[in-house]
Amino acid sequence: MSTPRPRILVSNDDGYFSEGLQTLVEAVSPLGEVWVVAPDREQSAASHSISLHRPLRIKEVRERWFSVDGTPTDCSYLAVNHLLKDNRPQLMVSGINHGANLADDVMYSGTVAAAMEAAFLGIPAIAFSLVSRGPFDFKPAGRFARALVTEALSRPLPPRMLLNVNIPGGVEPEGYVITTQGRHSYGNNVVEKEDPRGRKYYWIGGTEYAHQDIQGSDCNAVLDEKRVSVTPLHFEMTDHGRIPELSGWSLKGFTRHPSGGA
């Protein structure tokens, strides 16, 4: 009796029609039964937003390929809890994003959010991004995605595993590095303009770029060393080092109780 092929969910934030998603589907199709559930339009920088105040529509583009008129998070949620609820995927992959998701980008990224939602729901997930502003050559990124997914499927994975992968653009990377999140900045510019009716409008998001030189970081690996970065992420955001300091605060009229509910 043959072993069933692993089920792989694919999504992104650039839309179900994007070249990066097509490349990722081609890369992982030999490895399992691929299902695509992706936004019907670009949702870059959508972060982890979810649609709670309006209905969502799913359109079947072709067999096992669906578009959703919602966010990347919506796509993962609908895929795991509705379309694939009777046979949940073994792995979820997101991307390949048209641009970097390094360092602080993970807080804004729809690509990472789609993977994160799957991990929240107990599906190990990997987000892939190509660090380029164009032209985009996704072939090296596709080859790395196939190698990493092949290895991931060969071993038992923790259900809430989340990996953030960035592949340098314009080169054939000679290797990869297991990294931590770096720190970078796009600048803090706000451009104020005026429309033909005299009303002001604003463009946010700077065009300047700089990253800190942090050894072992994703920025250093990709931007300085031209290697692929693989960064494991988790959902624990508690600043444990800040707890002792806060314990020394005194709020007039309120009693501070010890943690644990005692």
Side-chain angles (χ1 to χ4, degrees):
M1 184 175 179
S2 61
T3 303
R5 304 179 76 208
R7 180 169 282 189
I8 303 170
L9 171 63
V10 181
S11 192
N12 72 346
D13 71 353
D14 289 308
Y16 74 94
F17 47 79
S18 75
E19 184 182 356
L21 184 136
Q22 300 275 355
T23 300
L24 187 55
V25 169
E26 291 172 9
V28 302
S29 287
L31 308 178
E33 179 189 275
V34 172
W35 288 69
V36 175
V37 184
D40 66 352
R41 68 200 72 182
E42 183 178 343
Q43 295 277 352
S44 296
S47 188
H48 207 104
S49 57
I50 190 167
S51 301
L52 299 179
H53 303 293
R54 69 174 184 86
L56 294 167
R57 300 187 186 277
I58 302 173
K59 178 181 178 181
E60 186 169 4
V61 178
R62 55 179 180 270
E63 185 181 11
R64 301 201 305 270
W65 198 301
F66 299 86
S67 69
V68 176
D69 68 338
T71 68
T73 300
D74 295 332
C75 293
S76 290
Y77 188 96
L78 286 172
V80 174
N81 291 324
H82 177 63
L83 292 170
L84 305 177
K85 66 179 181 180
D86 295 327
N87 185 9
R88 288 158 63 94
Q90 185 172 332
L91 183 71
M92 186 274 183
V93 291
S94 180
I96 300 169
N97 189 61
H98 294 232
N101 277 311
L102 296 162
D104 305 328
D105 292 341
V106 301
M107 302 300 293
Y108 304 98
S109 168
T111 303
V112 175
M116 186 177 290
E117 181 65 20
F120 275 162
L121 298 172
I123 310 298
I126 308 173
F128 294 95
S129 300
L130 180 63
V131 182
S132 174
R133 294 193 174 186
F136 294 98
D137 179 7
F138 288 98
K139 292 189 287 295
R143 287 192 289 272
F144 186 83
R146 180 176 296 180
L148 183 58
V149 170
T150 298
E151 178 65 16
L153 291 172
S154 74
R155 58 183 62 240
L157 300 174
R160 287 164 70 90
M161 182 193 82
L162 175 60
L163 303 180
N164 183 39
V165 178
N166 281 272
I167 302 99
V171 298
E172 186 69 45
E174 55 84 18
Y176 67 97
V177 185
I178 308 302
T179 57
T180 59
Q181 278 183 266
R183 293 294 303 275
H184 70 179
S185 171
Y186 293 107
N188 300 302
N189 295 338
V190 177
V191 178
E192 179 183 274
K193 293 195 174 183
E194 198 171 272
D195 69 18
R197 297 185 179 180
R199 297 173 299 187
K200 292 180 179 179
Y201 64 93
Y202 302 88
W203 282 102
I204 65 174
T207 56
E208 302 173 2
Y209 180 85
H211 71 273
Q212 294 183 19
D213 181 9
I214 301 175
Q215 293 302 307
S217 69
D218 51 5
C219 293
N220 279 33
V222 175
L223 301 172
D224 297 339
E225 302 163 10
K226 304 303 180 185
R227 292 171 178 153
V228 178
S229 69
V230 180
T231 309
L233 304 177
H234 63 71
F235 314 119
E236 171 61 73
M237 297 182 71
T238 303
D239 186 350
H240 293 277
R242 193 71 61 190
I243 291 176
E245 177 189 335
L246 286 174
S247 297
W249 290 22
S250 179
L251 307 187
K252 187 176 181 179
F254 293 89
T255 300
R256 184 181 67 81
H257 295 276
S259 60

